[in-house]
Amino acid sequence: MLTWKTARRIVLLIVLLVAANLAGNYFADLFGAELKNSGMIARWGTAALAIAYCILLAIPFVPGVEMGMMLMAIHGTSIALLVYLCTVVGLSMAFLAGRLVPLAAIGRLARFLHLERVALFIDDIDAMDRQDRLARLMEKAPIRAIPFLLRHRHVALAVVLNIPGNSVIGGGGGIALLAGSSRLFSTAGFLVAVALAVSPVPLAFYLFGQRFFPPL
């Protein structure tokens, strides 16, 4: 489970992101119709929001799904596609970090940023061999499904990303990092698996969210 200190940091980051976006809209109104019509502030605010969301999502144990749902609840269905694309990008960043960057270096960076839980998670998977890392991904899967999932790794990845309680094995960012560091997943296969795995929530929100979450 998230510690209170970590949860507080995440909530603070989310509040800052929302505040920055709302401030952009406020100043667009304040400085007149010409600036507002140019859409400059809105575009910069949206770009900053997307970049920050991608980075946060790539960090193990950060509740990315919850953040994405909150953003869609605030902005309505118009942002569903952006949230979907940023989710794929953020998880891909974690995957590529695990695949290309030594885990020891990522662990040192996490400690520099005082993300001790993330650092311990990285130290843990750094000590495993490839098959142990794959087994770690299966940790929350139903026992009867494990033999099938071990034979179909990319299906297993999509399943694990959608299993409730996957924060135990690092959440979306941790799972992607673990998958990349195992080197048992092709980059193309990972992208396809993730693109399919994260699509249900944004798609459902795009189709039905307007009824329950009109944009603010």
Side-chain angles (χ1 to χ4, degrees), residues 4 17 49 59 65 67 104 122 165 169 202:
W4 168 244
L17 288 173
L49 189 67
I59 301 173
V65 173
M67 287 194 302
I122 292 170
I169 53 176

Side-chain angles (χ1 to χ4, degrees), residues 124-162:
D124 186 28
I125 62 176
D126 194 21
M128 300 176 182
D129 60 29
R130 292 184 183 182
Q131 292 302 322
D132 287 340
R133 292 174 189 178
L134 182 60
R136 178 68 178 270
L137 281 174
M138 302 296 103
E139 197 170 282
K140 294 294 292 181
I143 298 298
R144 287 181 295 181
I146 287 178
F148 172 83
L149 295 178
L150 287 174
R151 292 194 303 270
H152 302 85
R153 295 191 295 270
H154 294 87
V155 175
L157 180 66
V159 170
V160 171
L161 283 169
N162 285 290

Side-chain angles (χ1 to χ4, degrees), residues 149-214:
L149 295 178
L150 287 174
R151 292 194 303 270
H152 302 85
R153 295 191 295 270
H154 294 87
V155 175
L157 180 66
V159 170
V160 171
L161 283 169
N162 285 290
I163 290 177
N166 65 19
S167 59
V168 173
I169 53 176
I175 290 169
L177 182 69
L178 187 56
S181 68
S182 73
R183 298 184 180 275
L184 294 171
F185 298 84
S186 67
T187 302
F190 174 86
L191 288 173
V192 172
V194 167
L196 294 174
V198 304
S199 62
V201 172
L203 180 60
F205 200 94
Y206 181 78
L207 294 175
F208 307 110
Q210 192 70 39
R211 300 179 187 178
F212 306 104
F213 300 103

